[in-house]
Amino acid sequence: MASFGWKRKIGEKVSKVTSQQFEAQAADEQSLDGDEIDWLPEAKKKKGLLLEDCLAKSKKLKEEGAVLAENERYREALHKWDEALQLTPEDATLYEMKSQVLMSLHEMFPAVHAAEMAVQRDLRSWEAWQTLGRAQLGLGEITLAIRSFQIALHICPMNPELWNEDLSWARQLHKQQKKATETGTATQGTAAQGEMSKEPIPDYDFESDEILAVCAAIAEKEKNTSPSKTVVIVSASGTVETVTEKEECATTPDSSVFIKAR
């Protein structure tokens, strides 16, 4: 930095001592500007120490949570791992362990979310894909679970647990689901055909002219074939006479037979 200089003439009111003081102050400012450059490495050093401290604390919390999870103290383990994630939010292992504990607590939706976070942070972790597949099975997403297990096997093809337990079990469930779906579809189709094969009951109109005409014909026929009574009359002179009488109506019952309702 250039020394301070005054553009105008000094004149009588500005002494030589004052001018020297300005120049000395300008030199001090120049030395301060040069010292500021030394702060950059110091700041980087402090940042590195802080990061190492966070990693160490996160590792400690992770190990404490693992011990708690082994003792089935799942809620306390989750609390430890949440604290560790505040320090190292990009640690995929923490999310994967958290997903396993959430499945043990039967909280499937948070378990799937935690496993997806683990996969996003480490796509090459077969443990994260395995845990994601198991969480998806817990939700009934069999097709997605098979895909997750296949990716895990692609990363680690020699793992017998993935072959014999995870993928084999998921494929067996998929076959059962497919068979149940086909059986349900066939049953619904048979029921629909049965309903279509049934003949509908005709809805007769009992007030139509045709029905009335048939009823009138039946009544006329019954009237013509109504029962008759034959009476034989013998007169005093010995003459025998046969008389046929038609019963036009039935005998009126005696009113004394009925009981009056109260």
Side-chain angles (χ1 to χ4, degrees), residues 96 100 103 126-131 133-134 137 145 148-150 152-153 156-171:
E96 190 269 334
Q100 292 187 50
M103 281 190 286
W126 66 269
E127 295 95 342
W129 284 107
Q130 181 189 37
T131 303
R134 291 178 177 179
L137 275 182
S148 298
F149 292 143
Q150 288 174 343
L153 280 169
C156 185
M158 302 305 295
N159 191 311
E161 185 180 10
L162 287 171
W163 281 108
N164 301 328
E165 296 183 12
D166 296 317
L167 186 59
S168 177
W169 173 245
R171 284 178 174 174

PDB file of all heavy atoms in Angstrom, residues 96 100 103 126-131 133-134 137 145 148-150 152-153 156-171:
ATOM      1  N   GLU A  96     -29.241 -47.053   7.521  1.00  0.00           N
ATOM      2  CA  GLU A  96     -29.525 -48.474   7.340  1.00  0.00           C
ATOM      3  C   GLU A  96     -29.812 -49.151   8.671  1.00  0.00           C
ATOM      4  O   GLU A  96     -30.761 -49.944   8.798  1.00  0.00           O
ATOM      5  CB  GLU A  96     -28.325 -49.130   6.639  1.00  0.00           C
ATOM      6  CG  GLU A  96     -28.580 -50.560   6.181  1.00  0.00           C
ATOM      7  CD  GLU A  96     -28.191 -51.563   7.236  1.00  0.00           C
ATOM      8  OE1 GLU A  96     -27.320 -51.259   8.064  1.00  0.00           O
ATOM      9  OE2 GLU A  96     -28.783 -52.666   7.245  1.00  0.00           O
ATOM     10  N   GLN A 100     -33.480 -50.906  10.180  1.00  0.00           N
ATOM     11  CA  GLN A 100     -33.634 -52.222  10.800  1.00  0.00           C
ATOM     12  C   GLN A 100     -34.379 -52.129  12.129  1.00  0.00           C
ATOM     13  O   GLN A 100     -35.259 -52.949  12.426  1.00  0.00           O
ATOM     14  CB  GLN A 100     -32.255 -52.846  11.026  1.00  0.00           C
ATOM     15  CG  GLN A 100     -31.515 -53.220   9.751  1.00  0.00           C
ATOM     16  CD  GLN A 100     -30.241 -53.978  10.048  1.00  0.00           C
ATOM     17  OE1 GLN A 100     -30.242 -54.948  10.804  1.00  0.00           O
ATOM     18  NE2 GLN A 100     -29.133 -53.539   9.457  1.00  0.00           N
ATOM     19  N   MET A 103     -38.087 -51.497  11.612  1.00  0.00           N
ATOM     20  CA  MET A 103     -38.806 -52.730  11.247  1.00  0.00           C
ATOM     21  C   MET A 103     -39.070 -53.593  12.474  1.00  0.00           C
ATOM     22  O   MET A 103     -40.119 -54.234  12.581  1.00  0.00           O
ATOM     23  CB  MET A 103     -38.002 -53.512  10.207  1.00  0.00           C
ATOM     24  CG  MET A 103     -38.136 -52.969   8.798  1.00  0.00           C
ATOM     25  SD  MET A 103     -37.417 -54.079   7.548  1.00  0.00           S
ATOM     26  CE  MET A 103     -35.665 -53.794   7.845  1.00  0.00           C
ATOM     27  N   TRP A 126     -24.634 -53.002  -0.549  1.00  0.00           N
ATOM     28  CA  TRP A 126     -25.615 -54.073  -0.705  1.00  0.00           C
ATOM     29  C   TRP A 126     -26.446 -54.252   0.569  1.00  0.00           C
ATOM     30  O   TRP A 126     -27.605 -54.687   0.514  1.00  0.00           O
ATOM     31  CB  TRP A 126     -24.919 -55.383  -1.069  1.00  0.00           C
ATOM     32  CG  TRP A 126     -24.033 -55.958   0.004  1.00  0.00           C
ATOM     33  CD1 TRP A 126     -22.710 -55.734   0.179  1.00  0.00           C
ATOM     34  CD2 TRP A 126     -24.431 -56.856   1.041  1.00  0.00           C
ATOM     35  NE1 TRP A 126     -22.243 -56.425   1.270  1.00  0.00           N
ATOM     36  CE2 TRP A 126     -23.281 -57.141   1.824  1.00  0.00           C
ATOM     37  CE3 TRP A 126     -25.642 -57.449   1.401  1.00  0.00           C
ATOM     38  CZ2 TRP A 126     -23.308 -57.978   2.920  1.00  0.00           C
ATOM     39  CZ3 TRP A 126     -25.672 -58.294   2.502  1.00  0.00           C
ATOM     40  CH2 TRP A 126     -24.515 -58.561   3.247  1.00  0.00           C
ATOM     41  N   GLU A 127     -25.867 -53.898   1.738  1.00  0.00           N
ATOM     42  CA  GLU A 127     -26.653 -53.974   2.975  1.00  0.00           C
ATOM     43  C   GLU A 127     -27.833 -53.011   2.943  1.00  0.00           C
ATOM     44  O   GLU A 127     -28.931 -53.338   3.409  1.00  0.00           O
ATOM     45  CB  GLU A 127     -25.761 -53.669   4.182  1.00  0.00           C
ATOM     46  CG  GLU A 127     -24.660 -54.666   4.435  1.00  0.00           C
ATOM     47  CD  GLU A 127     -23.358 -54.228   3.789  1.00  0.00           C
ATOM     48  OE1 GLU A 127     -23.409 -53.359   2.893  1.00  0.00           O
ATOM     49  OE2 GLU A 127     -22.305 -54.755   4.177  1.00  0.00           O
ATOM     50  N   ALA A 128     -27.621 -51.813   2.380  1.00  0.00           N
ATOM     51  CA  ALA A 128     -28.715 -50.837   2.289  1.00  0.00           C
ATOM     52  C   ALA A 128     -29.817 -51.351   1.368  1.00  0.00           C
ATOM     53  O   ALA A 128     -31.008 -51.233   1.671  1.00  0.00           O
ATOM     54  CB  ALA A 128     -28.181 -49.498   1.796  1.00  0.00           C
ATOM     55  N   TRP A 129     -29.434 -51.955   0.223  1.00  0.00           N
ATOM     56  CA  TRP A 129     -30.444 -52.499  -0.694  1.00  0.00           C
ATOM     57  C   TRP A 129     -31.170 -53.683  -0.063  1.00  0.00           C
ATOM     58  O   TRP A 129     -32.378 -53.853  -0.268  1.00  0.00           O
ATOM     59  CB  TRP A 129     -29.773 -52.913  -2.002  1.00  0.00           C
ATOM     60  CG  TRP A 129     -29.413 -51.774  -2.889  1.00  0.00           C
ATOM     61  CD1 TRP A 129     -28.166 -51.274  -3.134  1.00  0.00           C
ATOM     62  CD2 TRP A 129     -30.313 -50.976  -3.666  1.00  0.00           C
ATOM     63  NE1 TRP A 129     -28.230 -50.209  -4.001  1.00  0.00           N
ATOM     64  CE2 TRP A 129     -29.542 -50.006  -4.354  1.00  0.00           C
ATOM     65  CE3 TRP A 129     -31.687 -50.979  -3.843  1.00  0.00           C
ATOM     66  CZ2 TRP A 129     -30.105 -49.067  -5.207  1.00  0.00           C
ATOM     67  CZ3 TRP A 129     -32.252 -50.031  -4.692  1.00  0.00           C
ATOM     68  CH2 TRP A 129     -31.468 -49.088  -5.358  1.00  0.00           C
ATOM     69  N   GLN A 130     -30.466 -54.505   0.671  1.00  0.00           N
ATOM     70  CA  GLN A 130     -31.104 -55.638   1.345  1.00  0.00           C
ATOM     71  C   GLN A 130     -32.128 -55.156   2.372  1.00  0.00           C
ATOM     72  O   GLN A 130     -33.252 -55.667   2.444  1.00  0.00           O
ATOM     73  CB  GLN A 130     -30.040 -56.501   2.025  1.00  0.00           C
ATOM     74  CG  GLN A 130     -30.601 -57.719   2.740  1.00  0.00           C
ATOM     75  CD  GLN A 130     -29.544 -58.422   3.575  1.00  0.00           C
ATOM     76  OE1 GLN A 130     -28.700 -57.780   4.181  1.00  0.00           O
ATOM     77  NE2 GLN A 130     -29.594 -59.748   3.602  1.00  0.00           N
ATOM     78  N   THR A 131     -31.730 -54.182   3.167  1.00  0.00           N
ATOM     79  CA  THR A 131     -32.650 -53.641   4.172  1.00  0.00           C
ATOM     80  C   THR A 131     -33.855 -52.978   3.513  1.00  0.00           C
ATOM     81  O   THR A 131     -34.991 -53.103   3.999  1.00  0.00           O
ATOM     82  CB  THR A 131     -31.912 -52.630   5.066  1.00  0.00           C
ATOM     83  OG1 THR A 131     -30.774 -53.278   5.658  1.00  0.00           O
ATOM     84  CG2 THR A 131     -32.821 -52.110   6.164  1.00  0.00           C
ATOM     85  N   GLY A 133     -35.200 -53.831   0.635  1.00  0.00           N
ATOM     86  CA  GLY A 133     -36.082 -54.908   0.163  1.00  0.00           C
ATOM     87  C   GLY A 133     -36.897 -55.519   1.282  1.00  0.00           C
ATOM     88  O   GLY A 133     -38.092 -55.795   1.123  1.00  0.00           O
ATOM     89  N   ARG A 134     -36.282 -55.723   2.431  1.00  0.00           N
ATOM     90  CA  ARG A 134     -37.028 -56.290   3.556  1.00  0.00           C
ATOM     91  C   ARG A 134     -38.109 -55.331   4.052  1.00  0.00           C
ATOM     92  O   ARG A 134     -39.214 -55.768   4.431  1.00  0.00           O
ATOM     93  CB  ARG A 134     -36.054 -56.621   4.690  1.00  0.00           C
ATOM     94  CG  ARG A 134     -35.121 -57.785   4.359  1.00  0.00           C
ATOM     95  CD  ARG A 134     -34.137 -58.068   5.483  1.00  0.00           C
ATOM     96  NE  ARG A 134     -33.308 -59.232   5.186  1.00  0.00           N
ATOM     97  CZ  ARG A 134     -32.357 -59.698   5.984  1.00  0.00           C
ATOM     98  NH1 ARG A 134     -32.092 -59.082   7.134  1.00  0.00           N
ATOM     99  NH2 ARG A 134     -31.668 -60.768   5.636  1.00  0.00           N
ATOM    100  N   LEU A 137     -40.983 -55.537   1.648  1.00  0.00           N
ATOM    101  CA  LEU A 137     -41.786 -56.740   1.888  1.00  0.00           C
ATOM    102  C   LEU A 137     -42.761 -56.522   3.038  1.00  0.00           C
ATOM    103  O   LEU A 137     -43.891 -57.012   3.005  1.00  0.00           O
ATOM    104  CB  LEU A 137     -40.878 -57.926   2.204  1.00  0.00           C
ATOM    105  CG  LEU A 137     -40.303 -58.723   1.035  1.00  0.00           C
ATOM    106  CD1 LEU A 137     -39.478 -59.891   1.549  1.00  0.00           C
ATOM    107  CD2 LEU A 137     -41.403 -59.230   0.111  1.00  0.00           C
ATOM    108  N   ALA A 145     -39.573 -55.237  -3.743  1.00  0.00           N
ATOM    109  CA  ALA A 145     -38.608 -55.937  -2.894  1.00  0.00           C
ATOM    110  C   ALA A 145     -37.717 -56.863  -3.718  1.00  0.00           C
ATOM    111  O   ALA A 145     -36.500 -56.939  -3.488  1.00  0.00           O
ATOM    112  CB  ALA A 145     -39.353 -56.734  -1.817  1.00  0.00           C
ATOM    113  N   SER A 148     -35.055 -54.799  -5.352  1.00  0.00           N
ATOM    114  CA  SER A 148     -34.015 -54.375  -4.411  1.00  0.00           C
ATOM    115  C   SER A 148     -33.059 -55.526  -4.106  1.00  0.00           C
ATOM    116  O   SER A 148     -31.831 -55.331  -4.059  1.00  0.00           O
ATOM    117  CB  SER A 148     -34.667 -53.868  -3.122  1.00  0.00           C
ATOM    118  OG  SER A 148     -35.479 -52.727  -3.374  1.00  0.00           O
ATOM    119  N   PHE A 149     -33.596 -56.732  -3.920  1.00  0.00           N
ATOM    120  CA  PHE A 149     -32.733 -57.881  -3.660  1.00  0.00           C
ATOM    121  C   PHE A 149     -31.851 -58.203  -4.867  1.00  0.00           C
ATOM    122  O   PHE A 149     -30.685 -58.604  -4.706  1.00  0.00           O
ATOM    123  CB  PHE A 149     -33.581 -59.092  -3.283  1.00  0.00           C
ATOM    124  CG  PHE A 149     -34.283 -58.959  -1.964  1.00  0.00           C
ATOM    125  CD1 PHE A 149     -35.564 -59.462  -1.787  1.00  0.00           C
ATOM    126  CD2 PHE A 149     -33.681 -58.319  -0.894  1.00  0.00           C
ATOM    127  CE1 PHE A 149     -36.220 -59.344  -0.574  1.00  0.00           C
ATOM    128  CE2 PHE A 149     -34.329 -58.191   0.326  1.00  0.00           C
ATOM    129  CZ  PHE A 149     -35.600 -58.699   0.476  1.00  0.00           C
ATOM    130  N   GLN A 150     -32.387 -58.031  -6.059  1.00  0.00           N
ATOM    131  CA  GLN A 150     -31.588 -58.288  -7.258  1.00  0.00           C
ATOM    132  C   GLN A 150     -30.433 -57.298  -7.380  1.00  0.00           C
ATOM    133  O   GLN A 150     -29.324 -57.664  -7.785  1.00  0.00           O
ATOM    134  CB  GLN A 150     -32.484 -58.228  -8.489  1.00  0.00           C
ATOM    135  CG  GLN A 150     -33.436 -59.415  -8.610  1.00  0.00           C
ATOM    136  CD  GLN A 150     -34.409 -59.267  -9.755  1.00  0.00           C
ATOM    137  OE1 GLN A 150     -34.607 -58.174 -10.284  1.00  0.00           O
ATOM    138  NE2 GLN A 150     -35.051 -60.361 -10.144  1.00  0.00           N
ATOM    139  N   ALA A 152     -28.972 -55.827  -4.839  1.00  0.00           N
ATOM    140  CA  ALA A 152     -28.012 -56.224  -3.805  1.00  0.00           C
ATOM    141  C   ALA A 152     -27.168 -57.411  -4.270  1.00  0.00           C
ATOM    142  O   ALA A 152     -25.949 -57.452  -4.025  1.00  0.00           O
ATOM    143  CB  ALA A 152     -28.764 -56.565  -2.521  1.00  0.00           C
ATOM    144  N   LEU A 153     -27.793 -58.366  -4.966  1.00  0.00           N
ATOM    145  CA  LEU A 153     -27.050 -59.509  -5.489  1.00  0.00           C
ATOM    146  C   LEU A 153     -26.108 -59.103  -6.612  1.00  0.00           C
ATOM    147  O   LEU A 153     -25.046 -59.705  -6.791  1.00  0.00           O
ATOM    148  CB  LEU A 153     -28.028 -60.578  -5.984  1.00  0.00           C
ATOM    149  CG  LEU A 153     -28.627 -61.468  -4.894  1.00  0.00           C
ATOM    150  CD1 LEU A 153     -29.767 -62.304  -5.457  1.00  0.00           C
ATOM    151  CD2 LEU A 153     -27.559 -62.373  -4.302  1.00  0.00           C
ATOM    152  N   CYS A 156     -23.210 -57.797  -4.614  1.00  0.00           N
ATOM    153  CA  CYS A 156     -22.533 -58.856  -3.857  1.00  0.00           C
ATOM    154  C   CYS A 156     -23.124 -60.205  -4.273  1.00  0.00           C
ATOM    155  O   CYS A 156     -23.984 -60.759  -3.563  1.00  0.00           O
ATOM    156  CB  CYS A 156     -22.707 -58.619  -2.356  1.00  0.00           C
ATOM    157  SG  CYS A 156     -21.803 -59.770  -1.314  1.00  0.00           S
ATOM    158  N   PRO A 157     -22.701 -60.773  -5.395  1.00  0.00           N
ATOM    159  CA  PRO A 157     -23.352 -61.978  -5.932  1.00  0.00           C
ATOM    160  C   PRO A 157     -23.061 -63.253  -5.147  1.00  0.00           C
ATOM    161  O   PRO A 157     -23.783 -64.241  -5.318  1.00  0.00           O
ATOM    162  CB  PRO A 157     -22.783 -62.077  -7.355  1.00  0.00           C
ATOM    163  CG  PRO A 157     -21.486 -61.352  -7.299  1.00  0.00           C
ATOM    164  CD  PRO A 157     -21.660 -60.262  -6.295  1.00  0.00           C
ATOM    165  N   MET A 158     -22.063 -63.284  -4.303  1.00  0.00           N
ATOM    166  CA  MET A 158     -21.692 -64.499  -3.586  1.00  0.00           C
ATOM    167  C   MET A 158     -22.286 -64.559  -2.182  1.00  0.00           C
ATOM    168  O   MET A 158     -21.887 -65.405  -1.385  1.00  0.00           O
ATOM    169  CB  MET A 158     -20.156 -64.599  -3.503  1.00  0.00           C
ATOM    170  CG  MET A 158     -19.470 -64.607  -4.862  1.00  0.00           C
ATOM    171  SD  MET A 158     -20.088 -65.918  -5.944  1.00  0.00           S
ATOM    172  CE  MET A 158     -19.552 -67.357  -5.022  1.00  0.00           C
ATOM    173  N   ASN A 159     -23.248 -63.700  -1.885  1.00  0.00           N
ATOM    174  CA  ASN A 159     -23.839 -63.690  -0.552  1.00  0.00           C
ATOM    175  C   ASN A 159     -24.940 -64.747  -0.471  1.00  0.00           C
ATOM    176  O   ASN A 159     -25.980 -64.621  -1.112  1.00  0.00           O
ATOM    177  CB  ASN A 159     -24.414 -62.302  -0.239  1.00  0.00           C
ATOM    178  CG  ASN A 159     -24.811 -62.152   1.221  1.00  0.00           C
ATOM    179  OD1 ASN A 159     -25.496 -62.991   1.779  1.00  0.00           O
ATOM    180  ND2 ASN A 159     -24.370 -61.069   1.830  1.00  0.00           N
ATOM    181  N   PRO A 160     -24.777 -65.821   0.309  1.00  0.00           N
ATOM    182  CA  PRO A 160     -25.803 -66.875   0.360  1.00  0.00           C
ATOM    183  C   PRO A 160     -27.097 -66.426   1.033  1.00  0.00           C
ATOM    184  O   PRO A 160     -28.182 -66.937   0.736  1.00  0.00           O
ATOM    185  CB  PRO A 160     -25.117 -67.992   1.156  1.00  0.00           C
ATOM    186  CG  PRO A 160     -24.090 -67.290   1.978  1.00  0.00           C
ATOM    187  CD  PRO A 160     -23.625 -66.124   1.165  1.00  0.00           C
ATOM    188  N   GLU A 161     -26.999 -65.477   1.952  1.00  0.00           N
ATOM    189  CA  GLU A 161     -28.205 -64.994   2.639  1.00  0.00           C
ATOM    190  C   GLU A 161     -29.156 -64.317   1.667  1.00  0.00           C
ATOM    191  O   GLU A 161     -30.381 -64.505   1.740  1.00  0.00           O
ATOM    192  CB  GLU A 161     -27.810 -64.029   3.755  1.00  0.00           C
ATOM    193  CG  GLU A 161     -28.983 -63.555   4.610  1.00  0.00           C
ATOM    194  CD  GLU A 161     -28.550 -62.594   5.695  1.00  0.00           C
ATOM    195  OE1 GLU A 161     -27.386 -62.161   5.670  1.00  0.00           O
ATOM    196  OE2 GLU A 161     -29.381 -62.274   6.562  1.00  0.00           O
ATOM    197  N   LEU A 162     -28.617 -63.535   0.742  1.00  0.00           N
ATOM    198  CA  LEU A 162     -29.461 -62.877  -0.256  1.00  0.00           C
ATOM    199  C   LEU A 162     -30.140 -63.899  -1.161  1.00  0.00           C
ATOM    200  O   LEU A 162     -31.313 -63.743  -1.520  1.00  0.00           O
ATOM    201  CB  LEU A 162     -28.622 -61.907  -1.084  1.00  0.00           C
ATOM    202  CG  LEU A 162     -28.184 -60.608  -0.387  1.00  0.00           C
ATOM    203  CD1 LEU A 162     -27.181 -59.871  -1.241  1.00  0.00           C
ATOM    204  CD2 LEU A 162     -29.392 -59.729  -0.107  1.00  0.00           C
ATOM    205  N   TRP A 163     -29.421 -64.943  -1.546  1.00  0.00           N
ATOM    206  CA  TRP A 163     -29.986 -65.961  -2.437  1.00  0.00           C
ATOM    207  C   TRP A 163     -31.031 -66.811  -1.727  1.00  0.00           C
ATOM    208  O   TRP A 163     -32.161 -66.972  -2.229  1.00  0.00           O
ATOM    209  CB  TRP A 163     -28.869 -66.873  -2.970  1.00  0.00           C
ATOM    210  CG  TRP A 163     -28.071 -66.291  -4.091  1.00  0.00           C
ATOM    211  CD1 TRP A 163     -26.784 -65.848  -4.042  1.00  0.00           C
ATOM    212  CD2 TRP A 163     -28.514 -66.080  -5.442  1.00  0.00           C
ATOM    213  NE1 TRP A 163     -26.386 -65.365  -5.257  1.00  0.00           N
ATOM    214  CE2 TRP A 163     -27.432 -65.507  -6.146  1.00  0.00           C
ATOM    215  CE3 TRP A 163     -29.698 -66.316  -6.116  1.00  0.00           C
ATOM    216  CZ2 TRP A 163     -27.501 -65.171  -7.484  1.00  0.00           C
ATOM    217  CZ3 TRP A 163     -29.775 -65.986  -7.458  1.00  0.00           C
ATOM    218  CH2 TRP A 163     -28.697 -65.416  -8.127  1.00  0.00           C
ATOM    219  N   ASN A 164     -30.652 -67.386  -0.580  1.00  0.00           N
ATOM    220  CA  ASN A 164     -31.460 -68.432   0.053  1.00  0.00           C
ATOM    221  C   ASN A 164     -32.599 -67.890   0.903  1.00  0.00           C
ATOM    222  O   ASN A 164     -33.626 -68.563   1.059  1.00  0.00           O
ATOM    223  CB  ASN A 164     -30.563 -69.319   0.925  1.00  0.00           C
ATOM    224  CG  ASN A 164     -29.463 -69.964   0.119  1.00  0.00           C
ATOM    225  OD1 ASN A 164     -29.632 -70.264  -1.063  1.00  0.00           O
ATOM    226  ND2 ASN A 164     -28.303 -70.178   0.751  1.00  0.00           N
ATOM    227  N   GLU A 165     -32.440 -66.714   1.458  1.00  0.00           N
ATOM    228  CA  GLU A 165     -33.461 -66.185   2.364  1.00  0.00           C
ATOM    229  C   GLU A 165     -34.288 -65.061   1.735  1.00  0.00           C
ATOM    230  O   GLU A 165     -35.511 -65.159   1.647  1.00  0.00           O
ATOM    231  CB  GLU A 165     -32.802 -65.693   3.659  1.00  0.00           C
ATOM    232  CG  GLU A 165     -32.126 -66.801   4.458  1.00  0.00           C
ATOM    233  CD  GLU A 165     -31.543 -66.299   5.759  1.00  0.00           C
ATOM    234  OE1 GLU A 165     -31.867 -65.152   6.143  1.00  0.00           O
ATOM    235  OE2 GLU A 165     -30.762 -67.028   6.386  1.00  0.00           O
ATOM    236  N   ASP A 166     -33.608 -64.034   1.283  1.00  0.00           N
ATOM    237  CA  ASP A 166     -34.337 -62.841   0.832  1.00  0.00           C
ATOM    238  C   ASP A 166     -34.996 -63.042  -0.522  1.00  0.00           C
ATOM    239  O   ASP A 166     -36.225 -62.968  -0.648  1.00  0.00           O
ATOM    240  CB  ASP A 166     -33.385 -61.641   0.799  1.00  0.00           C
ATOM    241  CG  ASP A 166     -32.872 -61.287   2.190  1.00  0.00           C
ATOM    242  OD1 ASP A 166     -33.681 -61.296   3.130  1.00  0.00           O
ATOM    243  OD2 ASP A 166     -31.680 -61.009   2.327  1.00  0.00           O
ATOM    244  N   LEU A 167     -34.204 -63.295  -1.555  1.00  0.00           N
ATOM    245  CA  LEU A 167     -34.754 -63.383  -2.906  1.00  0.00           C
ATOM    246  C   LEU A 167     -35.660 -64.598  -3.061  1.00  0.00           C
ATOM    247  O   LEU A 167     -36.723 -64.515  -3.697  1.00  0.00           O
ATOM    248  CB  LEU A 167     -33.623 -63.423  -3.927  1.00  0.00           C
ATOM    249  CG  LEU A 167     -34.056 -63.362  -5.398  1.00  0.00           C
ATOM    250  CD1 LEU A 167     -34.839 -62.084  -5.671  1.00  0.00           C
ATOM    251  CD2 LEU A 167     -32.835 -63.432  -6.309  1.00  0.00           C
ATOM    252  N   SER A 168     -35.270 -65.745  -2.511  1.00  0.00           N
ATOM    253  CA  SER A 168     -36.094 -66.950  -2.619  1.00  0.00           C
ATOM    254  C   SER A 168     -37.449 -66.759  -1.950  1.00  0.00           C
ATOM    255  O   SER A 168     -38.497 -67.126  -2.501  1.00  0.00           O
ATOM    256  CB  SER A 168     -35.353 -68.128  -1.989  1.00  0.00           C
ATOM    257  OG  SER A 168     -36.147 -69.295  -2.019  1.00  0.00           O
ATOM    258  N   TRP A 169     -37.454 -66.168  -0.777  1.00  0.00           N
ATOM    259  CA  TRP A 169     -38.703 -65.928  -0.048  1.00  0.00           C
ATOM    260  C   TRP A 169     -39.593 -64.937  -0.796  1.00  0.00           C
ATOM    261  O   TRP A 169     -40.810 -65.122  -0.894  1.00  0.00           O
ATOM    262  CB  TRP A 169     -38.378 -65.429   1.343  1.00  0.00           C
ATOM    263  CG  TRP A 169     -39.559 -64.990   2.155  1.00  0.00           C
ATOM    264  CD1 TRP A 169     -39.829 -63.744   2.602  1.00  0.00           C
ATOM    265  CD2 TRP A 169     -40.646 -65.812   2.614  1.00  0.00           C
ATOM    266  NE1 TRP A 169     -40.992 -63.716   3.303  1.00  0.00           N
ATOM    267  CE2 TRP A 169     -41.528 -64.974   3.331  1.00  0.00           C
ATOM    268  CE3 TRP A 169     -40.960 -67.159   2.479  1.00  0.00           C
ATOM    269  CZ2 TRP A 169     -42.688 -65.452   3.917  1.00  0.00           C
ATOM    270  CZ3 TRP A 169     -42.131 -67.636   3.074  1.00  0.00           C
ATOM    271  CH2 TRP A 169     -42.977 -66.793   3.781  1.00  0.00           C
ATOM    272  N   ALA A 170     -38.991 -63.904  -1.351  1.00  0.00           N
ATOM    273  CA  ALA A 170     -39.774 -62.902  -2.085  1.00  0.00           C
ATOM    274  C   ALA A 170     -40.401 -63.515  -3.340  1.00  0.00           C
ATOM    275  O   ALA A 170     -41.560 -63.233  -3.670  1.00  0.00           O
ATOM    276  CB  ALA A 170     -38.893 -61.713  -2.453  1.00  0.00           C
ATOM    277  N   ARG A 171     -39.675 -64.355  -4.046  1.00  0.00           N
ATOM    278  CA  ARG A 171     -40.232 -64.997  -5.243  1.00  0.00           C
ATOM    279  C   ARG A 171     -41.354 -65.948  -4.883  1.00  0.00           C
ATOM    280  O   ARG A 171     -42.358 -66.052  -5.613  1.00  0.00           O
ATOM    281  CB  ARG A 171     -39.121 -65.739  -5.980  1.00  0.00           C
ATOM    282  CG  ARG A 171     -38.185 -64.814  -6.753  1.00  0.00           C
ATOM    283  CD  ARG A 171     -37.063 -65.590  -7.417  1.00  0.00           C
ATOM    284  NE  ARG A 171     -36.258 -64.725  -8.268  1.00  0.00           N
ATOM    285  CZ  ARG A 171     -35.147 -65.123  -8.881  1.00  0.00           C
ATOM    286  NH1 ARG A 171     -34.713 -66.375  -8.727  1.00  0.00           N
ATOM    287  NH2 ARG A 171     -34.473 -64.268  -9.639  1.00  0.00           N
TER     288      ARG A 171
END
